[in-house]
């Protein structure tokens, strides 16, 4: 049985809900054949999000780690290909931290690529539209992906980040698509 860790984020900024938190809460109650799922909800905070995620990774020892986040301006589920070593906020995180033009890791790699099987994932048919994105942004989502990829680079863990659009009336289709992605990883 493969072990899959899936994270989402709490609400932030002007958003009254975070689709990643809602989907992760649904996944917490989900049974998928051949998959042991663990979930966690992370704060939208530079100082704690990855440290809390790392505790979950270390204790669960997953084979696959999928971090989910809200991208309010997107209309598809977008699998992020790359995270860059940059924080450049438009709004503060939930702790009031507002950083601009800062490295995530001083002297670190310029970027890291997902280790999820993106070429396979991009060719499948899903209940909700899926595409590949080449920009995880420069906010906490990108920060979490960068730190995740930096942490897992010397392991056999497949890891990556997926942005979700607002759920609207599509929660079941989006949930089914995330389950299918988990199965294919």
């Amino acid at each position: 049985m493969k072990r899959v860790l899936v994270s989402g984020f709490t609400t932030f900024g002007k958003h009254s809900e975070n689709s990643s938190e809602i989907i992760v809460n649904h996944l917490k109650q989900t049974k998928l054949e051949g998959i042991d799922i663990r979930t966690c909800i992370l704060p939208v905070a530079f100082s704690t999000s990855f440290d809390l995620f790392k505790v979950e990774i270390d204790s669960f020892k997953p084979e696959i780690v999928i971090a989910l986040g809200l991208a309010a301006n997107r209309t598809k589920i977008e699998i992020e290909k790359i995270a860059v070593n940059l924080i450049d906020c438009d709004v503060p995180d939930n702790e009031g931290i507002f950083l601009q033009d800062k490295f995530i890791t001083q002297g670190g790699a310029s970027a890291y690529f997902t280790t999820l099987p993106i070429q396979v994932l991009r060719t499948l048919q899903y209940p909700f539209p899926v595409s590949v994105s080449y920009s995880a942004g420069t906010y906490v989502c990108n920060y979490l992906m960068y730190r995740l990829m930096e942490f897992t680079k010397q392991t056999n863990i497949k890891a990556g980040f997926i942005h979700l659009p607002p759920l609207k009336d599509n929660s079941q289709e989006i949930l089914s698509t995330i389950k299918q992605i988990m199965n294919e990883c």
Side-chain angles (χ1 to χ4, degrees):
M1 181 171 289
K2 66 182 169 184
R3 291 178 312 283
V4 180
L5 175 62
V6 183
S7 72
F9 282 113
T10 59
T11 58
F12 67 99
K14 64 181 181 345
H15 305 287
S16 61
E17 67 179 28
N18 189 320
S19 52
S20 69
E21 181 177 30
I22 295 166
I23 293 299
V24 166
N25 284 332
H26 283 298
L27 287 172
K28 188 185 308 186
Q29 304 163 21
T30 299
K31 302 282 187 228
L32 291 175
E33 188 174 327
I35 299 178
D36 182 10
I37 302 171
R38 181 179 287 187
T39 62
C40 63
I41 303 297
L42 302 171
V44 179
F46 293 108
S47 68
T48 56
S49 59
F50 181 72
D51 293 335
L52 293 170
F53 204 20
K54 185 178 177 304
V55 168
E56 293 293 329
I57 294 168
D58 288 341
S59 69
F60 187 51
K61 303 198 181 337
E63 297 159 84
I64 300 163
V65 177
I66 299 173
L68 302 176
L70 169 66
N73 61 340
R74 301 191 193 182
T75 58
K76 298 178 182 178
I77 293 171
E78 295 190 344
I79 304 166
E80 297 299 343
K81 175 85 172 174
I82 188 170
V84 296
N85 189 4
L86 178 67
I87 300 171
D88 197 31
C89 299
D90 290 333
V91 297
D93 72 3
N94 283 355
E95 294 179 341
I97 304 299
F98 185 78
L99 300 170
Q100 291 189 310
D101 201 26
K102 301 288 182 195
F103 288 114
I104 294 169
T105 301
Q106 188 69 38
S110 296
Y112 286 108
F113 291 93
T114 186
T115 53
L116 296 176
I118 205 162
Q119 295 306 321
V120 171
L121 295 175
R122 73 186 322 165
T123 64
L124 301 175
Q125 296 296 313
Y126 298 103
F128 194 82
V130 172
S131 65
V132 174
S133 167
Y134 299 95
S135 177
T138 54
Y139 192 52
V140 181
C141 293
N142 177 72
Y143 170 83
L144 185 69
M145 182 180 177
Y146 183 91
R147 294 288 312 275
L148 173 62
M149 303 317 301
E150 183 178 53
F151 177 70
T152 60
K153 71 181 178 183
Q154 300 297 325
T155 72
N156 292 324
I157 297 172
K158 291 185 213 169
F161 195 95
I162 298 174
H163 268 119
L164 304 178
L167 295 179
K168 298 182 182 171
D169 295 327
N170 302 305
S171 60
Q172 286 307 312
E173 292 86 357
I174 290 172
L175 178 62
S176 295
T177 300
I178 295 301
K179 288 179 187 177
Q180 187 176 348
I181 289 171
M182 288 171 37
N183 274 320
E184 294 299 329
C185 287

